[in-house]
Amino acid sequence: MTRINRRIILLGGGVTAALGNPFLALAHARVEIEMRGTSRGERIWFDPIGLAVAPGTTLRFTNRDPGNSHTATTYHPQIFGRARRIPASAEPWNSDYLLPAESFEITLTVPGIYDYYCIPHEMAAMIGRIVVGTPDSAGWEGPSGDRDDISNEVLAALPTVDAILANGRIGMEDRP
Ligand SMILES: [Cu+2]
């Protein structure tokens, strides 16, 4: 807890600038991301698909799809050799398979962009993006630039960082 507090204090100006954005003021909060699906499995998704949180926020992924197992897995060379799509100094994470009603929690401290996917459903564009802090946060790390191993169709499902920071949360109901 002490370490997280120190990180928040170090953010200083970034937090002050973000006071107009209530979602960024929720440091230490636990935020829920649901794994959802239609009853016959025609569509599956993370809800929200785009989320902005303060550094130190704990995310809880819960499988609310009664018909499928899902994972929340970071794009990282240490996990199935994928191109990195999280900050370089962040630890990769993988929930492994969550049965219906099971949960997985992870606390993100390094400011930057985290893209993740569901192992069995990546090709169905079951992917998501979490933005931790803002680009002016101390220690912010942008994308690695490695995007060769994701199809353009799947990448197109991800909301932009600007849209996530402007809205705080982008759910399926907000998709064009
Ligand atoms: Cu899935």
Side-chain angles (χ1 to χ4, degrees):
M1 192 55 97
T2 305
R3 202 178 71 192
I4 291 173
N5 283 336
R6 196 170 300 133
R7 285 176 185 276
I8 298 300
I9 290 164
L10 281 173
L11 283 172
V15 169
T16 306
L19 283 179
N21 297 329
F23 64 91
L24 280 180
L26 293 173
H28 314 296
R30 182 184 285 117
V31 179
E32 185 91 8
I33 297 177
E34 296 183 336
M35 293 134 148
R36 305 297 298 266
T38 54
S39 57
R40 292 179 187 166
E42 306 96 329
R43 290 181 66 215
I44 38 189
W45 65 93
F46 290 104
D47 188 29
I49 186 173
L51 183 64
V53 296
T57 301
T58 296
L59 299 163
R60 179 164 55 198
F61 293 88
T62 300
N63 184 359
R64 300 288 184 204
D65 178 356
N68 278 297
S69 293
H70 298 285
T71 79
T73 306
T74 44
Y75 287 100
H76 196 279
Q78 290 175 22
I79 303 175
F80 305 121
R82 302 303 302 268
R84 178 174 60 82
R85 299 184 67 84
I86 67 172
S89 57
E91 288 288 319
W93 38 271
N94 178 13
S95 69
D96 212 339
Y97 284 84
L98 299 179
L99 297 173
E102 287 186 333
S103 293
F104 166 79
E105 288 190 354
I106 187 77
T107 300
L108 302 184
T109 55
V110 179
I113 304 161
Y114 296 70
D115 292 341
Y116 62 92
Y117 62 103
C118 171
I119 293 168
H121 302 125
E122 180 190 12
M123 288 309 131
M126 186 171 180
I127 61 177
R129 171 170 283 170
I130 301 161
V131 179
V132 176
T134 63
D136 55 3
S137 299
W140 169 271
E141 293 179 36
S144 71
D146 299 336
R147 50 167 56 190
D148 327 313
D149 68 349
I150 309 182
S151 76
N152 287 332
E153 289 79 5
V154 172
L155 264 185
L158 282 178
T160 65
V161 172
D162 285 348
I164 292 171
L165 287 172
N167 293 282
R169 177 190 189 284
I170 296 181
M172 288 304 287
E173 68 277 12
D174 304 314
R175 307 293 300 170

